[in-house]
Amino acid sequence: MLLFIASFAIVGLITYRKVKDYFENASEYAKIKEGVALTDEMLMIAHRGLSAVAPENTLAAFRLAAEAGFRFVECDIHRTKDGHWVVMHDPTVDRMTDGSGAIADLTLEEIKQFKINRGSGIEAYPNEEIPTLNEYLKAVTDGGSYPVIEVKAKGSFDFKDMVYLLREYGITDKAVIIDYDAEHLQTIRRLCPELKMQLLCHFIKRSIIDKVEQIGNCGIDGMHNLQLDNKLCREVREKQIPLNMWTVDSEATLQKIKALGATMATTNSLKPIHNQKENG
C-alpha cells in the first residue's frame, strides 16, 4: 500500500512538473500559424516577441515579430539592483539563462554576463543576452512596431525613467503599459496622461471595470479561457473599454474572443495575414 501511494505521488509530481513546464514555456510548444483570417479584424500582439520562433523576450524575437507584421510586440520588465529596467518574464534569470539569481539582487553588469540558453530555435540564436528596456524599444521601433510593456517588478517605483524613455522615442501615444497592479498604472497615469494602459487580470470582475474607469484611457487584459461565460464582457463592450485577451494560439479561440468583444489578442503563434503596421 505504501509503495502504491509513493508511486502515485511520484507520478503526480512528474505530471505537475510537466504541466508547469508547459505553461512557463508554452511558446516552445506552439507552432506558427499563417493566414488566419481573423487577424485582419483583431490587433495582434506578439507575446514576448515572436516567441514560437526565437527565444522569448530576446532582441531576435522582437525583430522577428516586427518583420512578421505585428503592430504590437510585448515584453516583460524587472528592475535590477542598481535601478535599470531589463526584459525578462521571471523574477530570476534561472529558467532562461546560464546564470542564476533574482534580478532584483543583480546589477546590470552582472546580468549582461549571462547568455540565453533556452527557448524556441535556441540553436540559431546562441549569443542572445537579456535586453535592457532601451534595447527592446529600439528593436521594436526600428521595425516599425509599437511596444506593449508588462511591468513584472513588485514594489513602489516612480516610473519617471520609463516614461522618459517612451518620450525620447516619441511613442507615448502609441505604447501600451500593462500590469496587474492598478497602483502602478495610477502612478504612470499621473506622469503621462496620453499613455495607453491595460489592467491585467485572470477573471474580469466588477472591481476590475471600476479600476480601469478610475485610471482612464485604460483597457482590460484578461485570460481568455476564464471569460467564455463571463457576462461582464458584454458590459465591457458596451462601455467601449478596450479588451485584450491572452494567450490566444488557435483560430477557434480567436473566434471565441471576438464574439466576447475583444479587439486585441496576445499570441505566441498566430501571425497577421497583412502587415498590421501599415494601418497604424
Side-chain angles (χ1 to χ4, degrees):
M1 183 65 178
L2 288 176
L3 181 60
F4 172 78
I5 293 172
S7 299
F8 184 78
I10 291 169
V11 170
L13 180 60
I14 292 171
T15 301
Y16 167 77
R17 285 178 174 169
K18 286 182 177 178
V19 171
K20 183 173 183 289
D21 179 78
Y22 173 80
F23 280 106
E24 286 181 341
N25 304 283
S27 58
E28 293 182 39
Y29 301 93
K31 303 297 182 186
I32 288 293
K33 300 175 181 68
E34 309 270 1
V36 178
L38 269 176
T39 61
D40 266 358
E41 304 171 37
M42 189 84 61
L43 281 176
M44 305 302 291
I45 302 169
H47 187 228
R48 308 179 199 173
L50 199 60
S51 53
V53 176
E56 65 179 59
N57 277 324
T58 60
L59 295 180
F62 301 141
R63 292 182 183 121
L64 286 170
E67 289 172 11
F70 282 88
R71 172 93 64 89
F72 294 103
V73 181
E74 188 257 5
C75 79
D76 310 278
I77 61 171
H78 286 274
R79 190 89 162 171
T80 66
K81 182 180 180 179
D82 52 344
H84 295 273
W85 291 109
V86 294
V87 177
M88 174 67 64
H89 177 271
D90 302 356
T92 74
V93 301
D94 298 47
R95 178 174 65 93
M96 292 298 297
T97 80
D98 57 6
S100 65
I103 293 170
D105 296 332
L106 296 165
T107 65
L108 179 60
E109 183 178 3
E110 290 170 328
I111 282 171
K112 280 298 187 179
Q113 304 305 309
F114 307 141
K115 296 293 185 186
I116 303 294
N117 65 354
R118 176 166 189 168
S120 302
I122 185 62
E123 299 81 7
Y125 305 99
N127 297 311
E128 292 292 319
E129 301 174 355
I130 297 173
T132 63
L133 177 59
N134 187 39
E135 289 169 335
Y136 155 78
L137 290 173
K138 186 175 189 311
V140 170
T141 56
D142 279 356
S145 298
Y146 299 119
V148 174
I149 302 167
E150 179 176 350
V151 179
K152 286 284 191 183
K154 307 299 182 186
S156 298
F157 309 98
D158 63 22
F159 293 104
K160 289 178 181 176
D161 52 353
M162 185 183 75
V163 172
Y164 174 82
L165 264 181
L166 295 174
R167 290 198 192 282
E168 284 288 290
Y169 280 91
I171 52 173
T172 52
D173 62 337
K174 301 291 186 182
V176 182
I177 307 298
I178 62 177
D179 200 325
Y180 285 98
D181 190 331
E183 290 186 11
H184 281 175
L185 297 182
Q186 290 279 25
T187 299
I188 298 167
R189 170 59 69 237
R190 288 190 286 271
L191 294 170
C192 192
E194 73 270 24
L195 192 55
K196 296 179 178 66
M197 299 181 185
Q198 294 176 357
L199 182 60
L200 277 159
C201 65
H202 290 90
F203 186 76
I204 298 171
K205 300 181 290 188
R206 170 68 53 197
S207 59
I208 296 293
I209 297 174
D210 291 343
K211 284 177 183 176
V212 301
E213 290 184 318
Q214 289 166 11
I215 294 166
N217 193 19
C218 187
I220 294 174
D221 191 351
M223 189 175 184
H224 75 84
N225 52 344
L226 295 183
Q227 315 308 326
L228 300 183
D229 296 313
N230 189 347
K231 293 180 174 56
L232 283 177
C233 286
R234 179 177 179 179
E235 182 175 336
V236 170
R237 182 168 64 245
E238 289 173 349
K239 287 176 175 283
Q240 296 185 318
I241 295 171
L243 180 58
N244 176 22
M245 291 196 186
W246 54 273
T247 304
V248 178
D249 284 328
S250 75
E251 186 170 2
T253 302
L254 206 61
Q255 292 274 9
K256 289 176 183 176
I257 70 166
K258 181 176 183 291
L260 290 170
T263 56
M264 303 177 79
T266 300
T267 182
N268 293 308
S269 60
L270 300 180
K271 288 173 67 174
I273 292 178
H274 301 298
N275 189 332
Q276 295 198 334
K277 298 175 291 183
E278 294 173 357
N279 300 319

